[in-house]
Amino acid sequence: MSRNCVGSVNKSARLRPKNFLVFCCEMFSFIKTAARCLPVAHRSLSTTASRCKVSFEPPYLDAGGPDVPEFPLLNVQMEGYDFTVLEHYGKWVHRTALNMGIEVEDSWATPCKKIHIQTFKPRSAKVESEYDLHVYQRTVQLADVPSYIAPVLMEVVQAGLPEGVNLTVQEHMPEHTEVRYIPDLELKELKKQLDLLGGPSKTKK
């Protein structure tokens, strides 16, 4: 009995290395096959995940941030006695607004104003000297100016203001458009005479 037992033990001991090698070969082939199948499985999983992707965004992201108040129309009016200086400054204001990303709606020149000035001698009604001054005006109209850019624009424009030029910034009014046109004095005189005669006659139909 003991010999059979010893023989069986030795036989099993001889088979263990062989079984271990077979087991290692099987595990190696399994790992190799699994490594080949992993990219395919990964691609299929990613494709399935992309198809089944559900996006959820909070509703406040669609609000677009706080509303920035804007000035609908701003008139940058410049007045001066020197035509050349005023013309160059008006062009510079126009370019500065465009460089800051501000939309320039329009720009125009106002008819020249003539002012006659007299100085008198001390304690006398006699005229000492007379002057004829010409006042020129240029206007640059800006549209949809954000409230946070308007103060910066005012500082830049004021910093480049030449001597002898007056600068005014205000919202657009209907009377600012009427000043652009030269009045027809002859037509006004005819209308005045017509009003003195009783107004236009009404014809019966």
Side-chain angles (χ1 to χ4, degrees), residues 52-73:
C52 302
K53 184 179 180 181
V54 179
S55 61
F56 173 77
E57 294 182 355
Y60 62 83
L61 293 179
D62 298 332
D67 295 333
V68 178
E70 296 180 347
F71 296 98
L73 286 177

Side-chain angles (χ1 to χ4, degrees), residues 31-41:
I31 294 172
K32 190 175 180 181
T33 306
R36 292 177 180 176
C37 296
L38 276 177
V40 179

